[in-house]
Amino acid sequence: MKFGTKALHAGIIPDPSTGAIMTPIFQTSTYVQSAPGEHKGYEYARTQNPTRDVLEKNIAALENGKFGRCFSSGMGATDTIAKLLKPGDEVVCTNDLYGGTYRIFTKIYQDYGIKFSFVDMSDLREVESSISDNTALVWVETPTNPMMSIVDIRGISEIAGRHDTMVAVDNTFATPYLQNPLDLGADIVVHSVTKYIAGHSDVVMGAIVTNSETLDERIAFIQNSAGAIPGPNDCFLVLRGIKTLHVRMDRHCLNGERIAHFLKSHPLVERVFWPGFDDHPNHQIAKKQMKKYGGMISFILKDDSQEAAFDVMKKLKIFSLAESLGGVESLVGHPASMTHASIPREQRLESGLTDSLIRLSIGIEDIDDLIEDLEQAIG
Ligand SMILES: *Cc1c(COP(=O)(O)O)cnc(C)c1O
């Protein structure tokens, strides 16, 4: 089955009791048993919920994975992966990392005796030399946020395989429509469902997909024990959002491409970060592992002061100034003071994240209006 068909149909069956074509919202905390221990597979809603079950099957199918689990947020999913580790374990991470992931690793799990190192993963040799006998996990984000670097998932998976180390990929930016890490050798895919998968800026949720039954059993155990589960209403909203994921992504990508080229040719713009450019340093890998190049773009102005960047952000009318990304409406953000404020400035600068960097999440509005908005704001 191809992607668009899976988005609409994978895991979804008309409700057996009524024939309702849409998965019902099972708003219940418990399930009646006919005798102690005799039930229909559902005991308590932290452990199982039929609305969540359908969503988990659907997201697993979109990632070409066997097992899917949903969480109350993307960070709830990341937290679950961290709980697979034990004191003494080491984790090698992409250096240009989502701020919240950096925060939970360094401010919470480091205190539990897990060691994290951050490397430029566009250099595979650097990744290999960072792996030690204690490395239990390689954590990949690609495209990276907000520098839009591309990490070679297959290359990393081969290296990790030689060292008997797991690979987890945060696939939030690419979505399962553009990139499927499990097919490229990764062991675990993590999503902030909040972004493109839900797609309408109205839900916070996370997901994990794997092909390993052993891993999934442990992940389900942690999901049930720690309890970071999404509610059935949110599962319904996400199931509804997913039905247009492929259609939305095509438009995000098309608008993204037009805006990337518009910005690149603008006389007041110094540099545009978008993996679709032929001269992007990792373009060949992006071309190999992604279907298209996504709707996320970062850029810096010729005037590299923070004031100049703030001025553009203030003047934008259709782009709303907000954290988050991947919704149908266009957003603009200032990573240094917003999404990435929890990363120390020196470390931000090391990965190229300057105070003047502007990040755009390109929505699905009419492209002419978006370009006109950027034109009047940049001047
Ligand atoms: C937003 C985001 C997260 C965290 O997800 P939440 O749903 O906000 O908890 C993790 N990784 C990336 C790349 C993100 O953009």
Coordinates of all heavy atoms in Angstrom, one line a residue, residues 54 65 86 97 121-122 148 259 331 353:
V54 N -5.8 2.4 17.6 CA -5.9 2.6 16.1 C -4.8 3.6 15.6 O -4.1 3.4 14.6 CB -7.3 3.1 15.8 CG1 -7.4 3.6 14.3 CG2 -8.3 2.0 16.0
G65 N 6.9 0.5 10.1 CA 7.3 -0.3 11.3 C 6.2 -1.2 11.8 O 5.1 -1.1 11.4
K86 N 20.7 2.7 31.2 CA 21.0 2.6 32.6 C 22.3 3.3 33.0 O 23.0 3.7 32.1 CB 21.1 1.1 33.0 CG 22.1 0.3 32.1 CD 22.0 -1.2 32.4 CE 23.1 -1.9 31.7 NZ 23.5 -1.5 30.4
L97 N 20.7 20.1 18.2 CA 19.6 19.3 18.6 C 18.4 20.1 19.1 O 18.6 21.2 19.5 CB 20.1 18.5 19.8 CG 19.4 17.2 20.3 CD1 19.5 16.2 19.2 CD2 20.1 16.7 21.6
M121 N 27.3 15.4 13.2 CA 27.1 14.1 12.6 C 27.2 14.1 11.1 O 27.0 13.0 10.5 CB 25.7 13.5 13.0 CG 25.7 13.1 14.5 SD 24.4 11.9 14.8 CE 24.9 11.4 16.5
S122 N 27.4 15.3 10.5 CA 27.7 15.2 9.1 C 29.0 14.6 8.8 O 29.4 14.3 7.7 CB 27.6 16.6 8.5 OG 28.5 17.5 9.1
M148 N 19.3 23.0 9.7 CA 18.9 22.2 8.5 C 20.1 21.4 7.9 O 20.2 21.3 6.7 CB 18.3 23.1 7.4 CG 17.2 24.0 7.9 SD 15.8 23.1 8.5 CE 15.2 24.4 9.6
I259 N 10.0 29.6 -1.4 CA 10.5 30.6 -0.5 C 12.0 30.5 -0.3 O 12.7 31.5 -0.2 CB 9.7 30.5 0.8 CG1 8.3 31.0 0.6 CG2 10.4 31.3 2.0 CD1 7.3 30.9 1.8
L331 N 4.7 30.0 10.4 CA 5.2 30.6 11.6 C 6.6 31.1 11.4 O 7.3 30.6 10.6 CB 5.2 29.6 12.8 CG 3.9 28.9 13.2 CD1 4.1 27.9 14.3 CD2 2.9 30.0 13.6
L353 N 24.3 28.6 15.1 CA 23.1 29.2 15.5 C 23.3 30.6 16.1 O 23.5 30.8 17.3 CB 22.3 28.3 16.5 CG 20.8 28.5 16.7 CD1 20.3 27.4 17.6 CD2 20.4 29.9 17.1

